[in-house]
């Protein structure tokens, strides 16, 4: 007889060979028998010696007392023969009745134990932990609630299959039983586990669990996160303590190593703030504590406001200004974000009408949607209905969706994006390059605009790599026919660089901070506003803005979309030609250096009459410029300067302004031959 082995099995997993459907019943009855007394009687299935089939066991037990008052338990086990799962002619009446009894008992006890792991259910765990807490506190100790989850379980199931995932969960449950016993643990669902225990030696125990689980043989494992809530009183419900331990666990959501964290007073304050947001979102909307601010997006080619991004600002009557970083993640996590976003859409529609009444050009507004919006309601239909009911053109509302939201379920999100686009809404990818970037996503989904995350601008002065990567990404977007916006523009140097490489639109504090609609209208009245773009000129300036002034292919090829040869750093510029004069709109650094060296000037934005004496270049340039503007034909010129040097240049018409008939001309200096 292997007494040591039997003792080990009793302490660790005495139900190893038991049929999974029967474990919860046996554990429940055994616990009752041990704590309350009475008779013990269960019928269950256990594996045969070859582990390929089950036999039925009938167990009966009772308590007896020795002369000195020690209570002992006796349990008799009877082998009732093979278990046959299906009815057939060879079924004995005993087997049939036992099978029915097993089914009935499984139903009765299903709500007490988890089917997969045999651990107590959540509600039953609360009862058991409440009793355990009383015992610990009576002895002057402190207790702890642990909330644990496995990092990356969803991906694990997708990669290795649900059978392997279930095996992993059972293995982890068995490890918890080993250290805390079956009755002190619970599986709350999916990969979430809760444990009640004394706080004594807790950290050492957790470190052992982390190591053993990591080194477990015959199974692929995952890192474990554990939140800990320690208490020395019974003032709060066990469920509240579990919530606090979960909160501590969730703060490590972006950690992918096994670790633990204690619930703290700072977390408590944050938890209370979280609950305040959840409890007051409806009132905040109803009483308009939440206001919409707009940050302008500037057209690179003309410096005008071409779009505005709608941003929520929660101005609470008791808590003051709440940061979007505080309330938006809470609303997303609680699946309430759709209420905020539909409210923002309604406010945008009202503001569009207000701008129209003021006689201002109305540019499109963009609204940020969360992945949770698409789960909570049919957000596409909800927005369409509001826009159409108000009589607002659908192209006045742009839909911004973060790259990470799309990546979570790309097939589903692709379908929703295409629904928006088929209805006439433009869809932008927000925060591109924020950590989840996949160029394959651009192959799968056709976005109307890519919004580059502001970290590119943060690294602008620190690394040339950021500039190179951004230049190539923008060139790729141009080739795909996708507009671009770069966020976080704070300096003139950043703005000039983005204009040079063909970034269509710019956004950042260099131009303006987010403003309320009242402030925007006030700035118009006092003449301090940037100015809205005429919608009729939108396509014209879009064409100009997409030109990469480091790419000679703009003038050397007939197709605007065929852009190759990065950093052909010939002097290049965009000139706007009218009937009587022209102006330099954009140029790269090489052109600026060329103009300063050859002519001691860079007349950006200055209107120059064709007949002005001493005009930059000369008669050959002026003639070619006017001819190219008029006919649209490409022109190649040789212009002789005052010192006898010959300038070889090429001009090509890019676009025509439908409002004033001015033409955008791309100019490249091919060579300068000095005399």
């Amino acid at each position: 007889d292997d007494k040591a082995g039997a003792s080990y099995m009793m302490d660790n997993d005495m139900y190893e060979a038991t049929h999974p459907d029967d474990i919860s019943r046996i554990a429940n009855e055994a616990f009752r028998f041990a704590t309350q007394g009475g008779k013990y009687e269960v019928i269950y299935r256990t594996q045969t010696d070859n582990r390929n089939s089950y036999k039925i066991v009938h167990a009966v037990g009772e308590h007896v007392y020795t002369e000195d008052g020690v209570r002992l338990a006796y349990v008799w086990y009877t082998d009732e023969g093979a278990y046959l799962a299906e009815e057939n002619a060879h079924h004995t009446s005993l087997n049939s009745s036992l099978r029915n009894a097993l089914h009935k008992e499984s139903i009765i006890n299903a709500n007490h134990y988890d089917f997969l792991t045999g651990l107590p259910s959540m509600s039953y765990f609360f009862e058991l932990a409440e009793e355990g807490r009383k015992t610990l506190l009576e002895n002057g100790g402190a207790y702890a609630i642990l909330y644990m989850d496995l990092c990356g379980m969803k991906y694990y199931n997708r990669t290795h299959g649900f059978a392997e995932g279930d095996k992993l969960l059972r293995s982890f449950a068995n490890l918890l039983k080993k250290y805390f016993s079956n009755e002190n643990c619970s599986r709350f669902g999916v990969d979430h586990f809760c444990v009640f225990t004394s706080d004594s030696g807790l950290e050492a125990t957790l470190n052992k669990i982390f190591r053993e689980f990591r080194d477990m043989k015959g199974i692929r494992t995952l890192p474990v996160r554990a939140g800990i809530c320690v208490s020395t009183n019974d003032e709060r419900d066990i469920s509240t303590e579990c919530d606090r331990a979960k909160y501590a666990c969730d703060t490590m959501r972006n950690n992918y190593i096994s670790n633990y964290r204690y619930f703290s007073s700072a977390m408590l304050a944050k938890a209370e703030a979280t609950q305040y947001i959840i409890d007051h979102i409806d009132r905040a909307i109803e009483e308009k504590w939440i206001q919409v601010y707009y940050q302008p997006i500037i057209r690179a080619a003309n410096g005008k406001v071409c779009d505005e991004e709608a941003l929520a600002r929660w101005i609470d009557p008791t808590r003051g200004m709440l940061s979007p970083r505080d309330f938006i993640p809470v609303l997303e996590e609680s699946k309430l974000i759709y209420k905020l976003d539909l409210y923002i859409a309604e406010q945008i529609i009202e503001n569009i009408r207000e701008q129209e009444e003021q006689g201002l050009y109305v540019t499109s507004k963009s609204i940020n949607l969360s992945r949770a919006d698409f789960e909570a309601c049919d957000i596409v239909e909800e927005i369409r209905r509001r826009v159409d009911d108000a009589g607002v053109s659908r192209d006045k509302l742009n839909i911004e969706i973060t790259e990470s939201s799309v990546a979570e379920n790309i097939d589903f999100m692709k379908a929703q994006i295409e629904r928006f686009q088929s209805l006439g809404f433009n869809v932008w990818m927000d925060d591109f390059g924020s950590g989840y970037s996949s160029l394959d996503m651009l192959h799968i989904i056709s976005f109307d605009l890519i919004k580059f995350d502001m970290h590119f601008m943060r690294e602008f002065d620190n690394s040339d790599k950021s500039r190179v990567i951004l230049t190539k990404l923008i060139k790729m977007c141009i080739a795909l026919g996708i507009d671009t916006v770069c966020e976080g523009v704070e300096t003139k140097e950043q703005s000039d660089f983005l204009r040079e490489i063909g970034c269509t639109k710019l956004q950042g504090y260099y131009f303006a901070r987010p403003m309320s609609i009242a402030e925007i209208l006030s700035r118009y009245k006092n003449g301090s506003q940037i100015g809205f773009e005429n919608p009729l000129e939108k396509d014209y300036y879009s064409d100009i803005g997409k030109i990469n002034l480091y790419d000679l292919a703009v003038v050397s090829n007939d197709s605007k979309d065929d852009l190759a040869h990065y950093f052909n750093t010939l002097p290049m510029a965009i000139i706007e030609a009218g009937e009587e004069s022209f102006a330099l709109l954009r140029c790269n650094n090489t052109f600026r250096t060329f103009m300063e060296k050859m002519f001691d000037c860079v007349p950006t934005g200055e209107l120059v009459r064709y007949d002005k004496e001493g005009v930059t270049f000369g008669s050959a340039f002026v003639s070619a410029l006017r001819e190219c503007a008029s006919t649209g034909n490409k022109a190649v010129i040789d212009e002789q300067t005052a010192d006898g040097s010959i300038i070889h240049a090429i001009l090509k018409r890019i676009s025509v302004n439908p409002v004033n008939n001015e033409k955008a001309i791309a100019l490249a200096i091919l060579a300068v031959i000095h005399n």
Side-chain angles (χ1 to χ4, degrees):
D1 292 342
D2 185 2
K3 293 183 180 180
S7 177
Y8 177 84
M9 289 297 295
M10 291 290 290
D11 289 340
N12 292 274
D13 193 0
M14 60 186 295
Y15 307 120
E16 180 183 16
T18 304
H19 192 289
D21 289 358
D22 300 337
I23 293 175
S24 62
R25 290 186 305 101
I26 300 174
N28 188 36
E29 183 62 15
F31 182 74
R32 184 206 60 75
F33 178 61
T35 58
Q36 300 177 21
K39 186 178 180 180
Y40 174 75
E41 183 172 8
V42 293
I43 303 167
Y44 64 95
R45 291 156 289 187
T46 188
Q47 289 178 327
T48 57
D49 292 339
N50 60 18
R51 299 280 180 168
N52 292 323
S53 59
Y54 286 93
K55 59 185 176 182
I56 296 175
V57 174
H58 185 187
V60 178
E62 62 181 33
H63 289 106
V64 297
Y65 290 87
T66 64
E67 293 180 357
D68 54 359
V70 177
R71 188 176 69 163
L72 300 176
Y74 287 92
V75 180
W76 294 266
Y77 295 90
T78 304
D79 185 345
E80 301 288 0
Y83 171 71
L84 302 176
E86 302 295 333
E87 286 281 6
N88 57 59
H90 302 291
H91 243 158
T92 65
S93 58
L94 176 62
N95 195 295
S96 215
S97 63
L98 289 177
R99 184 169 57 83
N100 292 334
L102 289 171
H103 177 68
K104 182 178 179 180
E105 289 188 33
S106 293
I107 293 174
I108 292 172
N109 290 279
N111 63 334
H112 283 78
Y113 286 86
D114 174 54
F115 165 76
L116 180 67
T117 63
L119 294 177
S121 64
M122 183 191 300
S123 58
Y124 191 35
F125 170 78
F126 290 157
E127 294 179 26
L128 296 173
E130 187 65 47
E131 291 300 318
R133 173 167 69 174
K134 291 177 182 178
T135 301
L136 276 175
L137 293 179
E138 286 172 359
N139 294 326
Y143 67 91
I145 297 292
L146 312 182
Y147 188 95
M148 290 180 274
D149 68 18
L150 307 184
C151 310
M153 192 68 208
K154 185 185 294 184
Y155 179 77
Y156 187 98
N157 283 330
R158 191 162 58 240
T159 303
H160 304 298
F162 285 99
E164 281 295 307
D166 288 348
K167 182 180 177 182
L168 177 70
L169 294 173
R170 283 194 295 268
S171 298
F172 185 67
N174 290 337
L175 193 57
L176 294 182
K177 295 174 191 177
K178 172 183 175 180
Y179 283 96
F180 302 111
S181 86
N182 190 87
E183 303 308 317
N184 287 337
C185 308
S186 175
R187 179 178 175 234
F188 276 19
V190 195
D191 60 332
H192 304 150
F193 295 84
C194 216
V195 171
F196 168 82
T197 185
S198 166
D199 72 327
S200 178
L202 184 57
E203 294 181 8
T205 300
L206 281 172
N207 287 325
K208 288 179 182 178
I209 291 172
F210 294 160
R211 284 194 300 271
E212 285 192 37
F213 192 54
R214 180 195 63 200
D215 299 334
M216 195 169 285
K217 305 297 183 183
I219 190 170
R220 305 177 185 88
T221 62
L222 292 171
V224 181
R225 290 183 290 254
I228 307 171
C229 179
V230 176
S231 183
T232 57
N233 60 66
D234 58 357
E235 295 176 357
R236 290 178 293 271
D237 292 338
I238 288 293
S239 61
T240 301
E241 306 285 28
C242 290
D243 288 341
R244 294 185 171 189
K246 180 181 184 300
Y247 196 94
C249 182
D250 288 345
T251 63
M252 299 180 288
R253 211 170 252 177
N254 295 324
N255 295 350
Y256 293 92
I257 58 172
S258 292
N259 201 1
Y260 55 82
R261 185 169 293 171
Y262 286 89
F263 184 81
S264 64
S265 57
M267 289 183 189
L268 177 60
K270 190 170 183 179
E272 291 173 346
T274 294
Q275 195 59 48
Y276 180 87
I277 290 166
I278 293 172
D279 293 342
H280 290 80
I281 179 61
D282 291 331
R283 186 179 177 188
I285 290 173
E286 181 180 349
E287 300 187 14
K288 294 194 174 182
W289 299 348
I290 299 175
Q291 299 181 12
V292 181
Y293 279 53
Y294 296 92
Q295 184 169 29
I297 297 173
I298 308 300
R299 178 82 66 186
N302 60 16
K304 299 290 186 181
V305 177
C306 57
D307 301 278
E308 294 174 288
E309 180 181 6
L311 303 167
R313 296 290 183 266
W314 185 325
I315 306 172
D316 196 88
T318 59
R319 300 198 171 206
M321 178 74 79
L322 301 183
S323 168
R325 290 191 299 270
D326 294 331
F327 64 85
I328 288 180
V330 171
L331 295 176
E332 288 180 328
E333 180 72 19
S334 59
K335 308 300 181 185
L336 297 174
I337 190 69
Y338 75 97
K339 294 185 177 184
L340 172 66
D341 289 341
L342 289 176
Y343 168 77
I344 296 297
E346 292 166 358
Q347 295 303 300
I348 288 173
I349 292 168
E350 286 186 20
N351 293 342
I352 287 175
R353 286 176 160 179
E354 190 170 0
Q355 282 186 260
E356 289 175 337
E357 292 172 359
Q358 296 287 334
L360 302 174
Y361 289 135
V362 178
T363 58
S364 60
K365 323 288 185 192
S366 66
I367 180 173
N368 295 278
L369 295 187
S370 165
R371 176 71 175 83
D373 287 328
F374 294 89
E375 298 171 347
C377 64
D378 186 352
I379 195 71
V380 179
E381 174 58 22
E382 292 292 334
I383 288 179
R384 181 212 62 77
R385 180 170 55 80
R386 285 165 171 77
V387 170
D388 289 356
D389 288 350
V392 171
S393 176
R394 294 174 184 174
D395 65 358
K396 293 301 181 186
L397 189 64
N398 302 317
I399 308 299
E400 290 194 36
I401 303 174
T402 62
E403 181 184 6
S404 56
S405 295
V406 177
E408 289 179 14
N409 189 339
I410 195 165
D411 292 333
F412 171 76
M413 292 304 296
K414 179 178 185 290
Q416 304 313 305
I417 288 168
E418 289 175 348
R419 284 181 65 200
F420 267 124
Q421 291 172 325
S422 68
L423 292 170
F425 297 96
N426 289 320
V427 181
W428 297 5
M429 178 191 280
D430 192 17
D431 293 341
F432 185 82
S434 59
Y436 297 87
S437 298
S438 171
L439 297 181
D440 188 53
M441 193 183 298
L442 301 183
H443 175 73
I444 297 171
I445 302 176
S446 298
F447 291 95
D448 298 290
L449 179 144
I450 299 296
K451 209 170 187 186
F452 291 99
D453 187 74
M454 62 179 62
H455 88 268
F456 285 106
M457 291 298 98
R458 292 196 190 105
E459 296 299 319
F460 185 82
D461 295 323
N462 300 328
S463 171
D464 290 337
K465 290 181 180 179
S466 178
R467 303 188 189 200
V468 173
I469 292 170
L470 190 56
T471 299
K472 294 195 174 187
L473 288 173
I474 287 177
K475 182 175 180 182
M476 175 194 66
C477 291
I478 292 171
L480 294 172
I482 301 173
D483 273 337
T484 53
V485 174
C486 196
E487 298 178 293
V489 180
E490 296 187 355
T491 67
K492 184 177 186 301
E493 182 185 6
Q494 292 172 347
S495 174
D496 289 344
F497 171 78
L498 292 169
R499 292 173 193 267
E500 290 170 8
I501 64 174
C503 186
T504 313
K505 304 174 183 180
L506 314 172
Q507 184 180 18
Y509 287 173
Y510 176 70
F511 304 102
R513 293 174 177 268
M515 294 174 281
S516 66
I517 188 67
E519 185 178 355
I520 291 172
L521 297 176
S522 174
R523 285 164 64 97
Y524 262 97
K525 288 179 181 178
N526 62 34
S528 62
Q529 182 63 300
I530 298 171
F532 289 117
E533 175 184 81
N534 184 338
L536 296 176
E537 297 179 308
K538 176 180 177 180
D539 292 340
Y540 171 73
Y541 286 112
S542 178
D543 288 342
I544 294 174
K546 289 179 182 177
I547 301 301
N548 185 340
L549 295 177
Y550 288 99
D551 193 345
L552 185 59
V554 171
V555 292
S556 63
N557 296 323
D558 290 331
S559 172
K560 287 188 296 184
D561 296 329
D562 184 17
L563 301 176
H565 313 302
Y566 291 106
F567 294 113
N568 288 319
T569 53
L570 296 175
M572 292 182 64
I574 302 295
I575 295 172
E576 188 171 59
E579 291 296 325
E580 304 296 334
S581 60
F582 66 93
L584 177 65
L585 293 185
R586 299 175 53 209
C587 65
N588 61 15
N589 278 329
T590 315
F591 187 88
R592 189 175 291 109
T593 301
F594 164 78
M595 292 295 290
E596 290 174 348
K597 181 178 180 180
M598 298 295 295
F599 303 101
D600 195 29
C601 68
V602 187
T604 305
E606 176 187 334
L607 283 177
V608 180
R609 292 185 58 85
Y610 294 121
D611 58 1
K612 178 181 178 181
E613 184 178 353
V615 69
T616 303
F617 291 89
S619 58
F621 166 74
V622 170
S623 298
L625 178 63
R626 302 186 74 171
E627 178 70 16
C628 181
S630 175
T631 66
N633 296 329
K634 202 181 316 183
V636 178
I637 63 169
D638 288 336
E639 179 74 56
Q640 187 170 10
T641 64
D643 66 358
S645 299
I646 302 296
I647 300 174
H648 296 291
I650 184 170
L651 299 93
K652 180 182 177 182
R653 193 173 78 184
I654 300 301
S655 190
V656 179
N657 189 321
V659 175
N660 56 26
N661 202 39
E662 291 180 341
K663 284 85 175 180
I665 310 295
L667 166 67
I669 308 302
L670 303 178
V672 178
I673 301 175
H674 296 286
N675 198 3

